[in-house]
Short mmCIF file of all heavy atoms in Angstrom, two decimals:
data_model
loop_
_atom_site.label_atom_id
_atom_site.label_comp_id
_atom_site.label_asym_id
_atom_site.label_seq_id
_atom_site.Cartn_x
_atom_site.Cartn_y
_atom_site.Cartn_z
N GLY A 33 -90.34 -1.76 -78.93
CA GLY A 33 -90.58 -2.88 -79.84
C GLY A 33 -92.06 -3.13 -80.10
O GLY A 33 -92.43 -4.16 -80.66
N LYS A 34 -92.90 -2.21 -79.67
CA LYS A 34 -94.35 -2.28 -79.89
C LYS A 34 -95.02 -3.44 -79.16
O LYS A 34 -95.99 -4.04 -79.63
CB LYS A 34 -94.70 -2.35 -81.39
CG LYS A 34 -94.08 -1.25 -82.23
CD LYS A 34 -94.79 0.06 -82.05
CE LYS A 34 -94.36 1.10 -83.05
NZ LYS A 34 -93.28 1.95 -82.62
N VAL A 35 -94.49 -3.76 -77.97
CA VAL A 35 -95.08 -4.79 -77.11
C VAL A 35 -96.02 -4.09 -76.13
O VAL A 35 -95.69 -3.02 -75.60
CB VAL A 35 -93.99 -5.57 -76.34
CG1 VAL A 35 -94.61 -6.58 -75.37
CG2 VAL A 35 -93.05 -6.27 -77.31
N GLU A 36 -97.16 -4.68 -75.89
CA GLU A 36 -98.11 -4.14 -74.92
C GLU A 36 -97.60 -4.46 -73.51
O GLU A 36 -97.53 -5.62 -73.11
CB GLU A 36 -99.50 -4.75 -75.12
CG GLU A 36 -100.56 -4.18 -74.23
CD GLU A 36 -101.92 -4.81 -74.45
OE1 GLU A 36 -102.22 -5.23 -75.58
OE2 GLU A 36 -102.68 -4.87 -73.46
N VAL A 37 -97.19 -3.41 -72.78
CA VAL A 37 -96.62 -3.56 -71.45
C VAL A 37 -97.46 -2.78 -70.45
O VAL A 37 -97.76 -1.61 -70.67
CB VAL A 37 -95.16 -3.04 -71.39
CG1 VAL A 37 -94.59 -3.20 -69.99
CG2 VAL A 37 -94.29 -3.75 -72.41
N THR A 38 -97.79 -3.43 -69.35
CA THR A 38 -98.52 -2.78 -68.27
C THR A 38 -97.62 -2.73 -67.04
O THR A 38 -97.08 -3.77 -66.63
CB THR A 38 -99.81 -3.56 -67.93
OG1 THR A 38 -100.61 -3.66 -69.11
CG2 THR A 38 -100.61 -2.87 -66.83
N MET A 39 -97.45 -1.55 -66.49
CA MET A 39 -96.72 -1.40 -65.23
C MET A 39 -97.73 -1.60 -64.11
O MET A 39 -98.73 -0.88 -64.04
CB MET A 39 -96.07 -0.02 -65.14
CG MET A 39 -95.02 0.21 -66.22
SD MET A 39 -94.06 1.75 -66.00
CE MET A 39 -95.34 3.00 -65.89
N VAL A 40 -97.45 -2.58 -63.25
CA VAL A 40 -98.40 -2.99 -62.22
C VAL A 40 -97.81 -2.74 -60.84
O VAL A 40 -96.74 -3.25 -60.51
CB VAL A 40 -98.76 -4.48 -62.36
CG1 VAL A 40 -99.78 -4.90 -61.31
CG2 VAL A 40 -99.26 -4.81 -63.76
N GLY A 41 -98.52 -1.98 -60.03
CA GLY A 41 -98.08 -1.71 -58.67
C GLY A 41 -98.67 -2.68 -57.67
O GLY A 41 -99.88 -2.85 -57.62
N VAL A 42 -97.80 -3.31 -56.89
CA VAL A 42 -98.30 -4.13 -55.78
C VAL A 42 -98.33 -3.28 -54.51
O VAL A 42 -98.87 -3.71 -53.49
CB VAL A 42 -97.46 -5.42 -55.55
CG1 VAL A 42 -97.49 -6.30 -56.77
CG2 VAL A 42 -96.06 -5.11 -55.10
N SER A 43 -97.76 -2.07 -54.58
CA SER A 43 -97.70 -1.16 -53.43
C SER A 43 -98.54 0.09 -53.67
O SER A 43 -98.31 1.11 -53.04
CB SER A 43 -96.25 -0.76 -53.16
OG SER A 43 -95.43 -1.88 -52.94
N GLY A 44 -99.47 0.02 -54.61
CA GLY A 44 -100.32 1.17 -54.89
C GLY A 44 -100.18 1.67 -56.31
O GLY A 44 -99.46 1.09 -57.12
N LYS A 45 -100.87 2.75 -56.61
CA LYS A 45 -100.89 3.31 -57.97
C LYS A 45 -99.63 4.09 -58.30
O LYS A 45 -99.24 4.20 -59.44
CB LYS A 45 -102.14 4.21 -58.12
CG LYS A 45 -102.48 4.54 -59.55
CD LYS A 45 -103.10 3.38 -60.29
CE LYS A 45 -103.65 3.83 -61.62
NZ LYS A 45 -104.27 2.79 -62.37
N THR A 46 -98.96 4.63 -57.27
CA THR A 46 -97.66 5.27 -57.43
C THR A 46 -96.69 4.49 -56.57
O THR A 46 -96.95 4.24 -55.40
CB THR A 46 -97.70 6.75 -56.99
OG1 THR A 46 -98.65 7.44 -57.81
CG2 THR A 46 -96.34 7.40 -57.14
N VAL A 47 -95.57 4.07 -57.18
CA VAL A 47 -94.60 3.25 -56.46
C VAL A 47 -93.26 3.98 -56.45
O VAL A 47 -92.81 4.47 -57.47
CB VAL A 47 -94.47 1.85 -57.09
CG1 VAL A 47 -93.50 0.99 -56.29
CG2 VAL A 47 -95.84 1.16 -57.18
N VAL A 48 -92.64 4.02 -55.28
CA VAL A 48 -91.38 4.71 -55.09
C VAL A 48 -90.23 3.70 -55.15
O VAL A 48 -90.27 2.65 -54.51
CB VAL A 48 -91.36 5.46 -53.74
CG1 VAL A 48 -90.04 6.19 -53.54
CG2 VAL A 48 -92.54 6.43 -53.66
N SER A 49 -89.22 4.05 -55.94
CA SER A 49 -88.07 3.16 -56.14
C SER A 49 -87.12 3.17 -54.95
O SER A 49 -87.30 3.94 -53.99
CB SER A 49 -87.30 3.59 -57.39
OG SER A 49 -86.59 4.79 -57.11
N SER A 50 -86.08 2.36 -55.04
CA SER A 50 -85.08 2.29 -53.97
C SER A 50 -84.32 3.60 -53.82
O SER A 50 -83.73 3.85 -52.77
CB SER A 50 -84.12 1.13 -54.23
OG SER A 50 -83.44 1.30 -55.45
#
Side-chain angles (χ1 to χ4, degrees):
K34 307 284 190 268
V35 176
E36 184 180 329
V37 180
T38 303
M39 297 188 306
V40 182
V42 300
S43 303
K45 196 74 170 181
T46 299
V47 182
V48 180
S49 73
S50 60

